[in-house]
Amino acid sequence: MQNQTSPLILSFGAADPAGATGVQADLAAFSALSCTGLAVTTALLISDSARVEDLQDIDPDWVADQARVILEDMTMSAFKVGAITNLEQVAAVAEILSDYPDAPLILDPFSSRLPALSDDDAEELMTAIRQLLVPQATLLMLSQVELGRMAETWRESGDGSEGEDMLQSDVEHLLALGCEFVLVTGTASSGGALANTLYGGDGVISHDAWQHLAGPFIGAGNTLSAALTAFMARGADVPEAVAAAQEYTVGALAHAQRYGMGKFVPNRFFHLQSAQDMQ
């Protein structure tokens, strides 16, 4: 018998029966990257590899109690916050995380896989995340569209010439709220490709274009944010973690598997299986 030696990570998110997204996907990526994952469930999904049919919120008190009991027993090396589905959950999670300011927090709160909220509910939830969780985040990961909405500047740009300036302004707004880094996925790159751009207090830190892989995929973003969290839990700084997590995610997508009739699911254990095949 020995004490735990691999880094512990606590993930907040939805429970996906298909394991394509949410906390099940996080735990798989954490394990593949030599970390031990623990999960606080914020919602129960009725889903397969193609779609989510329904969602059941978990009571905010239950969310808080799940986390409190674990945190009274164990010390976390990092936290990840995924999908949170109502205002009360945001407040509960933010209060808990405020007690652990020294552990990295990766915030990836948006999922196109979840049923859409009404406009009013979505705006209220966005405001709560902006006010309570963004200021605590080590790194906030979101798409370019989500960035504009989070920064409250979403609108149609005229001829597209102001797009880059607007993106920079949106990022600066979120950094001013207190988060240390912003990773914007799906930004424009040369040749019409898409890239992931990492911003810090001094501006652009990295701009990485990746080869487009045929899909369709489910859980690609989830894989990236989980890998980021794992590398940071293992001691990497943010630029190192972003580079390593992107490389890992591309490999997971290149070896993705179709479980049924839905989309391809990233193979989070591809590098371990490749090593075994070589033995």
Side-chain angles (χ1 to χ4, degrees):
M1 303 292 289
Q2 62 180 16
N3 291 332
Q4 171 70 32
T5 56
S6 61
L8 297 177
I9 303 172
L10 184 59
S11 176
F12 296 80
D16 179 2
T21 60
V23 292
Q24 282 92 337
D26 286 344
L27 298 187
F30 298 159
S31 178
L33 295 171
S34 302
C35 296
T36 297
L38 303 104
V40 170
T41 302
T42 59
L44 301 175
L45 306 184
I46 298 176
S47 61
D48 57 19
S49 60
R51 67 187 65 82
V52 173
E53 293 188 1
D54 206 352
L55 175 151
Q56 176 64 56
D57 289 335
I58 301 297
D59 184 279
D61 290 339
W62 279 59
V63 172
D65 288 346
Q66 288 177 78
R68 293 288 187 199
V69 170
I70 291 175
L71 291 169
E72 287 170 1
D73 183 40
M74 310 172 201
T75 300
M76 299 299 137
S77 296
F79 295 91
K80 180 191 169 186
V81 174
I84 298 183
T85 56
N86 60 59
L87 301 178
E88 293 78 10
Q89 285 185 0
V90 174
V93 172
E95 181 179 358
I96 290 165
L97 293 176
S98 67
D99 292 334
Y100 304 92
D102 296 330
L105 167 62
I106 307 305
L107 180 58
D108 178 21
F110 304 111
S111 174
S112 59
R113 181 164 164 79
L114 299 186
L117 299 173
S118 69
D119 289 343
D120 288 344
D121 288 344
E123 184 60 34
E124 289 180 354
L125 184 61
M126 187 84 71
T127 299
I129 292 172
R130 182 190 308 119
Q131 293 177 348
L132 300 177
L133 287 174
V134 169
Q136 299 189 55
T138 307
L139 182 145
L140 168 64
M141 179 178 134
L142 69 183
S143 71
Q144 192 164 345
V145 171
E146 293 160 352
L147 168 67
R149 291 175 174 167
M150 176 62 75
E152 301 180 281
T153 62
W154 181 81
R155 60 187 180 274
E156 295 290 336
S157 60
D159 59 4
S161 60
E162 62 187 25
E164 187 172 343
D165 290 339
M166 185 189 304
L167 189 152
Q168 182 74 33
S169 176
D170 291 345
V171 169
E172 290 174 354
H173 176 74
L174 295 177
L175 292 171
L177 293 177
C179 69
E180 298 178 38
F181 298 88
V182 176
L183 179 63
V184 185
T185 61
T187 58
S189 185
S190 59
L194 295 179
N196 299 326
T197 306
L198 176 66
Y199 296 85
D202 295 327
V204 174
I205 296 173
S206 63
H207 179 76
D208 301 307
W210 296 95
Q211 178 183 0
H212 176 74
L213 298 173
F217 297 106
I218 183 172
N222 202 124
T223 303
L224 178 59
S225 58
L228 267 167
T229 311
F231 284 116
M232 291 187 67
R234 289 166 47 184
D237 63 22
V238 169
E240 292 172 338
V242 168
Q246 289 178 124
E247 183 177 353
Y248 167 80
T249 301
V250 169
L253 295 177
H255 294 82
Q257 300 170 319
R258 176 171 272 158
Y259 296 159
M261 295 180 289
K263 299 177 181 179
F264 284 92
V265 177
N267 181 356
R268 282 122 183 154
F269 294 95
F270 73 94
H271 58 309
L272 302 179
Q273 294 165 352
S274 297
Q276 291 174 354
D277 292 342
M278 295 174 62
Q279 294 177 357

